[in-house]
Amino acid sequence: MKITKELLTLNQDIAGQEIGIPVYYVNCGKDDAPSVYIQSAVHAAEMQGSAVIFQLLTFLPKLGLNTNFILVPNCNPFGRTQRAGEYLQGRFDATTGNNWNRFYHYDESLVTKFLNSLEGSESLNDKANEKRIVSDFRFALSKSIEDLTKGEWGINTAQYLNHKLQSLAVKADLVIDLHTGPSSTRHIYSPDFLVEHARRFNIENIISIPCKFAGALDEASFIPWRLLQQGLCEKGVEFQYGVKAFTVELGSQENICLTQAYEDMKGILNFLNTEGLVTGNPKIDANDITVTALKNYKTLFSKHAGMVEYLAKAGDKVEKGQTIARVLNSLEFDNDRGLLEIKSPSSGIVILHYPSAAVQVGTQLYKIATDA
Ligand SMILES: [Zn+2]
């Protein structure tokens, strides 16, 4: 096993000083080994995943590895330099408001074109052919990402960042994008057809997402392969391969905990073990896991401006009609509207709430995995 490090320049300040991201390559030394890509902190204030990658790099040399790794612990050199007051303004581009996790590249027509190009080719059912299709399709995906960054008219900063990261991730068979919520419990976004696999991360809450692109890295990574698989299936071709991709939300932003990062790492290693990618990993204590379809993962927007006390915390179970927060409005302190109660519209599990007590009308107060 060998670990190498590269400093990849993605940004420069106006004096031309390069601002890079460290990329760690872990090579297991086996020919034809699969590849795992893990990045953290594309939303720059979401740093727990960086601590998890630290733990991984410390721990991987003790394990049996059947896979290579590409590990990017602080993948957003733009977001990580934007501060607002005491905090990183790391979720959005401060100039444009663009979400740093919404500009990955996906082009459905590329899948169609690729499928058409296979028309008439012989022995598609040959197992050796699957390998060739995987390699050709990966090349096509890779090239389409590369071509975009070379266009005459340029691309916006979030696109640039996302495409550069995607050009690393596209090489991998498994993509794990480490995030956190604002004030949040641990949860994982899993493609609906991979939910049983996602359980092995041992994270209490799984949000099951459909095969629908909304700009994020996990979707951009698994959807083209899923469509390829379905397209080949329609042609009567048996094709097993698919890229697995997950977005893992490791608690709250602006915070790291190395003890918890060790536990988070154990969950990731447990998943990798069941995929046959690592051996000798520490055992986990299995958690109870709740799976919620994305359509039942609801946002509660504030109807009031004011100062909020969050009574229901991330991870709490709540009942329909339960008072989950209270809002103070100092203009009404002399009457009964000075303190308003906010009730949960549904029973479910509180996944996260807004990090600040100061809210306005329309602020995302809570996100709740509701009971369907
Ligand atoms: Zn995030």
Side-chain angles (χ1 to χ4, degrees):
M1 196 213 77
K2 196 174 155 214
I3 299 177
T4 50
K5 178 172 64 178
E6 175 192 14
L7 195 64
L8 186 64
T9 299
L10 290 190
N11 189 7
Q12 291 177 311
D13 69 15
I14 58 165
Q17 178 70 45
E18 293 185 346
I19 305 175
I21 56 170
V23 181
Y24 293 87
Y25 297 91
V26 179
N27 191 313
C28 70
K30 292 176 184 161
D31 290 340
D32 272 353
S35 178
V36 176
Y37 175 83
I38 306 179
Q39 71 174 29
S40 169
V42 75
H43 292 142
E46 302 174 1
M47 293 170 277
Q48 176 66 5
S50 313
V52 173
I53 291 177
F54 168 76
Q55 296 287 31
L56 272 171
L57 278 166
T58 315
F59 210 78
L60 286 178
K62 300 173 191 163
L63 302 179
L65 301 185
N66 301 317
T67 183
N68 300 321
F69 289 84
I70 305 170
L71 303 171
V72 193
N74 279 101
C75 72
N76 186 345
F78 302 95
R80 73 172 193 236
T81 52
Q82 298 179 156
R83 301 194 72 90
E86 291 161 350
Y87 298 107
L88 278 180
Q89 209 285 62
R91 189 171 171 75
F92 303 97
D93 181 325
T95 310
T96 60
N98 286 335
N99 185 322
W100 294 116
N101 188 29
R102 292 294 180 275
F103 287 86
Y104 291 94
H105 176 56
Y106 167 65
D107 177 7
E108 192 174 331
S109 73
L110 184 110
V111 186
T112 316
K113 270 185 231 152
F114 186 81
L115 280 166
N116 290 340
S117 77
L118 294 176
E119 242 6 287
S121 61
E122 282 175 18
S123 64
L124 268 177
N125 266 320
D126 183 352
K127 188 70 190 163
N129 231 29
E130 175 161 321
K131 243 180 156 179
R132 188 179 59 75
I133 293 173
V134 169
S135 143
D136 290 352
F137 188 57
R138 179 161 277 128
F139 179 80
L141 287 173
S142 196
K143 188 169 180 316
S144 77
I145 297 162
E146 207 179 297
D147 287 350
L148 261 173
T149 52
K150 288 182 186 157
E152 241 180 318
W153 292 92
I155 49 178
N156 74 44
T157 311
Q159 280 175 316
Y160 175 78
L161 170 68
N162 285 181
H163 296 165
K164 285 290 184 185
L165 296 172
Q166 200 175 354
S167 64
L168 293 172
V170 75
K171 297 170 187 165
D173 306 281
L174 168 64
V175 173
I176 304 176
D177 196 7
L178 301 177
H179 288 246
T180 76
S183 284
S184 173
T185 189
R186 280 170 168 65
H187 56 293
I188 177 168
Y189 289 93
S190 167
D192 48 15
F193 60 94
L194 292 176
V195 161
E196 290 313 306
H197 294 255
R199 287 179 182 276
R200 295 156 190 168
F201 282 94
N202 200 34
I203 290 172
E204 288 92 334
N205 294 286
I206 298 175
I207 312 293
S208 158
I209 62 171
C211 199
K212 196 173 158 200
F213 184 65
L217 177 62
D218 54 351
E219 299 152 349
S221 302
F222 79 79
I223 291 176
W225 293 98
R226 183 66 172 166
L227 294 187
L228 178 69
Q229 195 184 50
Q230 286 168 344
L232 286 167
C233 181
E234 279 165 23
K235 291 177 191 292
V237 178
E238 205 183 308
F239 186 81
Q240 300 295 332
Y241 183 83
V243 165
K244 297 187 178 83
F246 304 91
T247 295
V248 181
E249 306 273 347
L250 298 168
S252 305
Q253 65 192 16
E254 293 285 352
N255 183 53
I256 64 165
C257 170
L258 283 161
T259 310
Q260 181 58 50
Y262 181 76
E263 295 302 314
D264 294 335
M265 176 199 72
K266 275 165 62 181
I268 291 172
L269 290 178
N270 185 63
F271 171 80
L272 296 178
N273 174 273
T274 55
E275 297 288 315
L277 300 174
V278 304
T279 55
N281 51 301
K283 291 281 162 280
I284 52 155
D285 299 321
N287 287 321
D288 286 338
I289 291 168
T290 305
V291 180
T292 305
L294 186 65
K295 66 179 166 56
N296 296 323
Y297 184 40
K298 298 276 180 64
T299 303
L300 178 65
F301 296 95
S302 182
K303 292 179 179 171
H304 315 282
M307 295 160 278
V308 173
E309 179 185 15
Y310 299 96
L311 298 172
K313 307 293 185 198
D316 285 358
K317 281 201 162 116
V318 294
E319 296 302 323
K320 181 180 164 75
Q322 182 181 330
T323 301
I324 53 174
R326 300 191 287 192
V327 188
L328 273 180
N329 177 345
S330 57
L331 197 63
E332 313 284 354
F333 277 5
D334 55 357
N335 65 66
D336 62 3
R337 290 189 51 78
L339 182 63
L340 298 173
E341 291 191 337
I342 294 173
K343 298 189 187 301
S344 178
S346 170
S347 60
I349 298 166
V350 171
I351 299 296
L352 57 88
H353 66 70
Y354 193 64
S356 166
V359 305
Q360 60 186 17
V361 173
T363 295
Q364 290 192 14
L365 274 188
Y366 279 101
K367 289 188 87 169
I368 299 177
T370 64
D371 301 331

